[in-house]
Amino acid sequence: MTEETPMSAANDNFTVAGRSYRSRLLVGTGKYKDLDETARAIEASGAEIVTVAVRRTNIGQNAGEPNILDVLPPEKYTILPNTAGCYDVDSAVRTCRLARELLDGHSLVKLEVLGDEKTLFPDVMATLEAAKVLVADGFDVMVYTNDDPIIAKQLEEIGCCAVMPLAAPIGSGLGIRNPLNIRTIVENASVPILVDAGVGTASDAAVAMELGCDGVLMNTAIAAARDPVLMASAMRKGIEAGREAYRAGRMQARRFASASSPIEGLFF
């Protein structure tokens, strides 16, 4: 999004689909050793939006199995159903409609339509088609895509409420591989832009925020850490530091040295 007017940290909220959030860190729920660790890590992250893979996680569709909503109550968190594991338009749309039914009309979803199992890169054409169907059906669509500024703009024009370009392949931990494209997407957008996938550590999250992104969504970087709860806390701080640095406006990079103290008016 375009650069904003300076404001106090207390009022520097992130807004998506008409709702305002203090935290710009969004987290997933997969790969933790159990529900207790999931809950503790998410609490430490400070996240208010938590994404759940409907095809892999029980949110009420499997009676008798542990329900993740028991430890992540919708009264406390905004649950963001996602279409992880979907490789075609029909399955992605069907998954979103199931989530809406299970969550009493909940319309905010994260769309991802994957192209292949090895890279987990998005199938861009299928993503565009599914986005059109879901927006027409009344969904608020946050959409995972590649780091192509043209596709990002097309998804915005379709009506997606947020566009989520990858930093690197899902679960890779490689960090932001193409910062120039991410910056271009941010500069041309009028909806929130959130980095989704590829973050490995807190410095990666800070870089995303310094590029002007509105937020970062991550899962593996926290869940696969040696201490997920501690890493969740680190990610929270990385997001906050990167956002403050972006708002402060970094110094201009120079090729040569520039003395910190003035050279005029020397005493001797």
Side-chain angles (χ1 to χ4, degrees):
M1 298 181 70
T2 55
E3 189 170 350
E4 62 190 80
T5 302
M7 61 179 71
S8 69
N11 296 324
D12 183 32
N13 290 346
F14 155 64
T15 300
V16 64
R19 184 169 175 180
S20 182
Y21 299 91
R22 296 183 305 278
S23 175
R24 293 171 180 271
L25 174 58
L26 292 70
V27 294
T29 54
K31 301 184 179 180
Y32 291 98
K33 67 180 182 181
D34 53 36
L35 289 182
D36 177 66
E37 183 179 74
T38 304
R40 290 188 295 112
I42 291 173
E43 179 73 25
S45 76
E48 297 169 281
I49 301 177
V50 180
T51 188
V52 176
V54 178
R55 302 188 75 192
R56 298 169 178 162
T57 308
N58 184 28
I59 59 172
Q61 68 271 45
N62 296 317
E65 294 186 10
N67 188 331
I68 199 167
L69 301 185
D70 291 337
V71 297
L72 300 174
E75 300 79 25
K76 181 176 182 180
Y77 298 101
T78 294
I79 305 300
L80 178 63
N82 70 61
T83 61
C86 293
Y87 290 85
D88 59 76
V89 173
D90 289 343
S91 63
V93 170
R94 187 167 60 251
T95 299
C96 289
R97 288 172 175 164
L98 172 61
R100 181 166 61 183
E101 181 178 340
L102 291 169
L103 296 173
D104 298 323
H106 183 87
S107 63
L108 184 65
V109 295
K110 179 196 166 190
L111 171 65
E112 54 184 81
V113 185
L114 303 177
D116 69 86
E117 294 184 3
K118 181 177 181 179
T119 67
L120 299 182
F121 284 144
D123 180 332
V124 172
M125 300 308 294
T127 298
L128 289 166
E129 185 179 346
K132 291 176 183 177
V133 173
L134 291 170
V135 169
D137 197 19
F139 284 93
D140 297 309
V141 180
M142 301 177 69
V143 58
Y144 164 72
T145 184
N146 59 18
D147 57 5
D148 181 341
I150 305 303
I151 296 300
K153 196 63 182 178
Q154 289 178 352
L155 288 164
E156 176 186 331
E157 291 169 350
I158 285 171
C160 295
C161 65
V163 176
M164 308 174 75
L166 56 82
I170 292 172
S172 68
L174 291 172
I176 296 177
R177 309 313 298 169
N178 199 340
L180 296 179
N181 273 24
I182 298 294
R183 184 184 292 278
T184 300
I185 291 171
V186 168
E187 290 174 346
N188 291 327
S190 56
V191 298
I193 303 298
L194 300 92
V195 157
D196 178 15
V199 169
T201 191
S203 58
D204 298 331
V207 168
M209 300 308 296
E210 289 170 3
L211 289 170
C213 293
D214 295 275
V216 179
L217 190 151
M218 66 183 73
N219 184 184
T220 306
I222 296 175
R226 185 172 63 249
D227 185 336
V229 177
L230 186 59
M231 182 59 81
S233 176
M235 290 298 189
R236 177 179 188 169
K237 294 164 186 169
I239 292 285
E240 292 171 353
R243 178 63 180 173
E244 287 187 3
Y246 172 73
R247 291 176 58 232
R250 66 157 291 157
M251 63 167 283
Q252 181 180 355
R254 301 182 177 92
R255 182 179 177 187
F256 298 110
S258 175
S260 298
S261 301
I263 60 174
E264 296 83 6
L266 297 178
F267 289 109
F268 56 87

